[in-house]
Amino acid sequence: MGIRAVQAGALTLKVDRALSTNHPDARDYERAEPFRALCARWGEDPALVAHRYALSIPGVDTVVLG
């Protein structure tokens, strides 16, 4: 066990809480914009894509969503 696929909401459609623009999680969310745009082009939910990707890594049998 050891992957946190949806780190603090950065790889989700939207953050589930109010954050200041300087909050580290808000900055991570902004950095992940290209990933969300790619998922939108695919018609996929970014959290599901991140989860499936994490589970596809050899040796991973548990994913901790944080």
Side-chain angles (χ1 to χ4, degrees):
M1 182 169 105
I3 287 193
R4 192 172 183 186
V6 188
Q7 187 277 323
L11 304 179
T12 61
L13 287 173
K14 64 180 185 167
V15 177
D16 63 355
R17 61 203 175 282
L19 298 171
S20 73
T21 56
N22 293 326
H23 192 284
D25 293 343
R27 291 193 307 264
D28 284 347
Y29 184 80
E30 287 304 314
R31 285 185 200 111
E33 176 54 35
F35 173 74
R36 287 191 302 280
L38 178 63
C39 291
R41 283 198 341 243
W42 292 341
E44 295 282 348
D45 183 314
L48 294 176
V49 172
H51 190 221
R52 288 192 308 253
Y53 172 73
L55 286 173
S56 75
I57 297 170
V60 171
D61 58 7
T62 301
V63 175
V64 177
L65 302 176

